[in-house]
Amino acid sequence: QVQLVESGGGLVQAGGSLKLSCMYSGYNLRGYTVAWFRQGPGKERAFVAVIAFSGGSTYYADSVKGRFTISRDNDNNVYLQMNSLKPEDTAVYYCAAQYNGGLSGDARGYNTWGQGTQVTVSS
């Protein structure tokens, strides 16, 4: 059974950093794209960043460009390094995967989701 498990969330002060991890179990991620989405209090789920597991191409939402970095390793793990965090980055962060979907930020195309990890940024 394919599963995604996020970790690394927590409480951090504005300007600080956190690194989220998304561990994938099941099939090899070759041919998949893996994305991070987030859902803040009272907000809809929003795209953050995406990476093509084969080749490593990336794409970011404008709100995090230059502050967040998505990466992957050879062990089916995807990471989100978050620097210069702001209170508005407070949200539950989810990783999601889809096969052969390109660098898409549309949540409807992703059919495998993790349970989410809470990130809280205090001012």
Side-chain angles (χ1 to χ4, degrees):
Q1 185 177 355
V2 171
Q3 283 189 317
L4 296 173
V5 179
E6 303 96 335
S7 62
L11 173 64
V12 64
Q13 288 188 330
S17 299
L18 280 175
K19 186 174 184 177
L20 305 183
S21 299
C22 175
M23 294 186 296
Y24 182 94
S25 62
Y27 297 102
N28 190 289
L29 281 175
R30 186 185 300 272
Y32 279 79
T33 53
V34 178
W36 288 94
F37 292 83
R38 66 186 181 185
Q39 188 164 15
K43 298 180 181 179
E44 294 186 353
R45 191 167 298 189
F47 166 73
V48 176
V50 60
I51 188 167
F53 209 82
S54 302
S57 298
T58 59
Y59 179 69
Y60 297 89
D62 288 343
S63 59
V64 306
K65 202 172 294 183
R67 299 188 299 123
F68 291 10
T69 302
I70 190 170
S71 63
R72 88 277 194 248
D73 62 20
N74 293 326
D75 293 322
N76 279 0
N77 296 317
V78 174
Y79 305 97
L80 186 68
Q81 177 67 48
M82 306 185 295
N83 299 327
S84 301
L85 283 161
K86 305 174 181 179
E88 51 263 44
D89 294 319
T90 294
V92 177
Y93 283 72
Y94 300 89
C95 64
Q98 65 172 332
Y99 181 74
N100 204 28
L103 295 177
S104 171
D106 186 347
R108 295 171 297 179
Y110 290 81
N111 53 13
T112 302
W113 290 80
Q115 82 289 350
T117 185
Q118 176 71 47
V119 171
T120 303
V121 184
S122 63
S123 57

